[in-house]
């Protein structure tokens, strides 16, 4: 079992930055692909970015503004979000799966509870 706990969300203005963190339990964190998804009100949960031994991948909507990274010594994955836009407003979820990354919700086995990010215009 892997438990994930997100933190770092909040209310910011357009153009600001935020860094989300996701702390994971378990001794095999480094072997897991980690991802961030987000879900806005009334919309489906969507892929934001992922990191695994295969590299880093981003949704087109965040490419160039968001950066995903991980610190295996701390069992933590981060999402640095720059140049935030009102359309980035959503609940952001951390997800994990063994091995290679995936791009859809069904690819991931473990999920955090989510952290709210609100970007005002």
């Amino acid at each position: 079992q892997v438990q994930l706990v997100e933190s770092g969300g909040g209310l910011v203005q357009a153009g600001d930055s935020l860094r989300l963190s996701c702390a994971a339990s378990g001794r095999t964190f480094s072997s897991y692909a980690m991802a961030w998804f987000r879900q806005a009100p009334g919309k489906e949960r969507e892929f934001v970015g992922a990191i695994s031994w295969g590299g880093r991948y981003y949704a087109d909507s965040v490419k160039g503004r968001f950066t995903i990274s991980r610190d295996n010594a701390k069992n933590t994955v981060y999402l640095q979000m720059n140049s935030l836009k009102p359309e980035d407003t959503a609940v952001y979820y951390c997800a994990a799966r063994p091995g290679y990354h995936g791009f859809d919700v069904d690819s991931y086995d473990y999920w955090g509870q989510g952290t709210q990010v609100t970007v005002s215009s």
Side-chain angles (χ1 to χ4, degrees):
Q1 278 282 9
V2 175
Q3 292 185 324
L4 305 172
V5 179
E6 302 98 334
S7 62
L11 172 63
V12 296
Q13 293 186 330
D16 285 350
S17 298
L18 271 179
R19 188 177 79 158
L20 305 183
S21 300
C22 173
S25 65
R27 293 175 292 179
T28 58
F29 174 77
S30 61
S31 67
Y32 278 73
M34 302 298 297
W36 289 95
F37 286 77
R38 66 186 182 186
Q39 188 166 19
K43 295 188 177 181
E44 293 187 351
R45 195 169 296 190
E46 65 174 5
F47 174 80
V48 173
I51 184 169
S52 71
W53 59 265
R56 306 182 195 192
Y57 299 86
Y58 300 96
D60 287 343
S61 59
V62 306
K63 203 170 293 182
R65 300 187 298 122
F66 291 12
T67 303
I68 189 169
S69 61
R70 66 192 299 163
D71 185 338
N72 290 333
K74 295 182 178 180
N75 278 18
T76 301
V77 64
Y78 304 97
L79 184 68
Q80 178 67 44
M81 305 185 294
N82 298 329
S83 301
L84 282 161
K85 304 176 181 180
E87 51 263 45
D88 294 318
T89 295
V91 177
Y92 283 71
Y93 296 90
C94 175
R97 59 167 286 172
Y100 201 69
H101 65 278
F103 297 104
D104 54 82
V105 170
D106 292 339
S107 297
Y108 288 85
D109 302 309
Y110 305 101
W111 292 85
Q113 82 288 348
T115 185
Q116 176 71 47
V117 172
T118 304
V119 185
S120 64
S121 58

